[in-house]
Amino acid sequence: MVSSLASTARDEPYGRVVVRAALWLAFLAPFFYLSYGFANWLASRRDDVGSIVFSWEHSIPFLAWTIVPYWSINLFYGLSLLLNDNRQGVDRLAGRYLTAQIVAVACFILFPLTATFVRPATTGLPGFLFAVLGGFDKPFNQAPSLHIALLVIIWDHWRNRLGGFLLPVWHGWCFLIGASVLTTWQHHFIDIPTGALLGFFALWLFPRSGALPFSGVRLTSDAKARRLARFYALGAVLALAAAALGAFFCAVALFLLWPALALAIVAFAYAGSGSKVFQKSADGSITLASRILLLPYRLGARANMWAWTRNLAPRVAVADGVFLGRFPTASEANSFGTIIDLAAEFEKPAGADCRWISFPMIDLLPPPASIQQQAASALESARRDGTVLVCCALGFQRSAGVVAEWLVATCRAKTPTLAREMLMAAGRPVHLAETTEQAAS
């Protein structure tokens, strides 16, 4: 039932894991209370602290017993650090906690908000828990809800470790924790989506496995990449400005923070981080955090794909069972033996049960020659087992470059120019670019 914890073998001696977790807790706990309390204190000294409340929130009932699930997140906070398989898992979870706390407290200081509902008197266990909470938690520190951000992080940590009947129980308890921020009158509604966005950002910044988005980042020297980075950064700034200005008229404008963050992440990719910001694996899957955070960008990419390819055949035959096309649906993919997928931004569609091999490449930029050669080699190997579709978003550039590489490498075309002509003759628009290494030579 507890898939990870029930394992008889661990990646590291558990004693080392516990020591690392204890050290992190020794830092995180006082950091939380000091920084959180400082933000509360600053807000209490200001006379211009506002609130964001929708009229329908006045109908939310006060349920005193929900202070129990509200408080339970403190238990799971510590257990999540202590129950890990290795020190990297501890470090990445602690990184998520720290990210959520730093960003949330910065927002509390820069843009303080207050809760407006006055709780009725309570007795018994709920009354005791409310009294303890009131000892350090004043009616400030609202959006983004740090409680919700930490809940997202902790929920994700355990959903990958629990199985059987414990998993739906866990989902249900997390729902109670999330709802309790409203039914205890600790938060207003706008704090929940902003807190969830922060939680998923922390998950994206410190993924469970794989490279960190910011690891090994160098500012690109490619002029086109810099231009695209500036373009997306401008979009992020405009969306952020619209959210900030629009909030003075309607709190719904704060939902523009979502596309603002998505565009900022894409700008970061073009500025030097590359395709790893999309967190796509070799099997075509994408992390939950990436799916959530970059959804606004992906919706735009889907619309762009439809606009460019709606009047074109979804794929064209090139040679010897190899096809070139746009990113397929599940039914289209299942008509092939293998999919060679080069679109970093799209996830393998649900229901696609064919062989799927992904070489994530960022759009509109020439890929490293080594990656293109690996994809061409995988194409030749897959071709021996059946038909192959090589795809990217549109089927114009990334996929065309790999197929052209394959045509030349297998002597089906003597030169890159002849390979381009073969692709054009197949009936697909082709926009081939030099690979990064070729451009440098």
Side-chain angles (χ1 to χ4, degrees):
M1 293 182 186
V2 185
S3 58
S4 179
L5 299 179
S7 175
T8 57
R10 293 181 179 274
D11 296 339
E12 298 179 18
Y14 188 54
R16 296 180 182 178
V17 177
V18 171
V19 169
R20 181 67 64 91
L23 290 173
W24 269 114
L25 282 172
F27 167 74
L28 288 170
F31 174 78
F32 166 76
Y33 286 105
L34 289 173
S35 61
Y36 194 85
F38 178 67
N40 252 320
W41 177 77
L42 280 181
S44 68
R45 295 176 61 84
R46 297 178 57 168
D47 55 9
D48 59 343
V49 179
S51 61
I52 299 177
V53 189
F54 294 100
S55 59
W56 57 265
E57 293 184 56
H58 293 277
S59 63
I60 297 175
F62 173 73
L63 303 175
W65 65 268
T66 57
I67 190 63
V68 175
Y70 183 93
W71 261 104
S72 69
I73 196 172
N74 296 283
L75 172 64
F76 294 119
Y77 184 101
L79 283 178
S80 298
L81 275 173
L82 292 168
L83 299 179
N84 271 283
D85 296 328
N86 51 57
R87 286 174 292 179
Q88 177 180 288
V90 173
D91 291 343
R92 294 205 173 185
L93 178 59
R96 296 172 206 142
Y97 284 167
L98 191 59
T99 298
Q101 291 172 205
I102 290 174
V103 174
V105 169
C107 291
F108 300 155
I109 293 173
L110 295 174
F111 313 105
L113 294 171
T114 184
T116 60
F117 297 160
V118 179
R119 285 192 297 266
T122 55
T123 58
L125 177 61
F128 170 75
L129 293 176
F130 274 116
V132 175
L133 182 64
F136 71 90
D137 195 8
K138 306 306 178 184
F140 304 106
N141 295 359
Q142 294 293 296
S145 169
L146 181 55
H147 206 86
I148 293 296
L150 293 175
L151 174 61
V152 168
I153 294 168
I154 294 168
W155 164 78
D156 181 76
H157 180 81
W158 286 97
R159 75 182 179 90
N160 291 285
R161 287 166 166 75
L162 299 175
F165 77 92
L166 288 179
L167 186 57
V169 169
W170 173 243
H171 291 326
W173 190 255
C174 286
F175 175 80
L176 285 177
I177 295 174
S180 70
V181 303
L182 296 178
T183 56
T184 57
W185 290 3
Q186 277 290 113
H187 284 275
H188 292 303
F189 173 75
I190 198 64
D191 309 342
I192 294 179
T194 51
L197 188 67
L198 173 56
F200 283 114
F201 174 71
L203 289 176
W204 172 83
L205 198 62
F206 292 94
R208 179 172 292 101
S209 60
L212 300 176
F214 53 83
S215 62
V217 174
R218 292 182 179 179
L219 186 63
T220 180
S221 59
D222 185 273
K224 185 176 182 181
R226 288 190 175 188
R227 185 167 64 252
L228 289 167
R230 289 193 295 268
F231 172 79
Y232 282 107
L234 176 61
V237 170
L238 292 176
L240 180 61
L245 295 176
F248 287 102
F249 304 98
C250 180
V252 175
L254 289 175
F255 282 91
L256 289 172
L257 293 173
W258 189 5
L261 180 55
L263 292 173
I265 290 174
V266 176
F268 182 53
Y270 281 105
S273 184
S275 63
K276 63 176 175 288
V277 305
F278 295 99
Q279 298 184 346
K280 186 170 183 176
S281 301
D283 63 359
S285 62
I286 290 177
T287 64
L288 176 63
S290 175
R291 290 204 303 270
I292 297 295
L293 289 184
L294 292 171
L295 179 60
Y297 168 75
R298 289 192 173 96
L299 291 176
R302 287 282 182 184
N304 182 68
M305 181 177 71
W306 175 83
W308 281 95
T309 65
R310 68 186 187 279
N311 295 323
L312 297 174
R315 68 268 184 184
V316 294
V318 178
D320 299 328
V322 173
F323 293 75
L324 171 66
R326 60 159 171 75
F327 200 82
T329 63
S331 59
E332 291 169 346
N334 288 336
S335 63
F336 293 92
T338 303
I339 302 296
I340 304 292
D341 161 29
L342 310 171
E345 64 271 30
F346 293 145
E347 185 173 26
K348 174 184 176 180
D353 53 15
C354 58
R355 185 186 182 196
W356 196 283
I357 306 174
S358 181
F359 294 90
M361 299 179 183
I362 195 168
D363 195 17
L364 298 175
L365 295 182
S370 59
I371 301 299
Q372 185 160 295
Q373 290 165 4
Q374 290 175 33
S377 178
L379 165 57
E380 176 61 16
S381 298
R383 184 192 64 79
R384 302 187 184 107
D385 298 324
T387 56
V388 179
L389 172 65
V390 185
C391 65
C392 55
L394 307 181
F396 294 172
Q397 184 171 330
R398 288 169 287 183
S399 52
V402 167
V403 174
E405 178 84 24
W406 169 74
L407 289 171
V408 174
T410 58
C411 298
R412 288 175 171 84
K414 293 183 178 181
T415 65
T417 300
L418 292 177
R420 177 195 289 269
E421 292 174 358
M422 288 181 64
L423 295 178
M424 295 291 289
R428 194 87 185 162
V430 172
H431 304 285
L432 295 180
E434 290 182 332
T435 63
T436 303
E437 293 178 11
Q438 289 171 332
S441 63

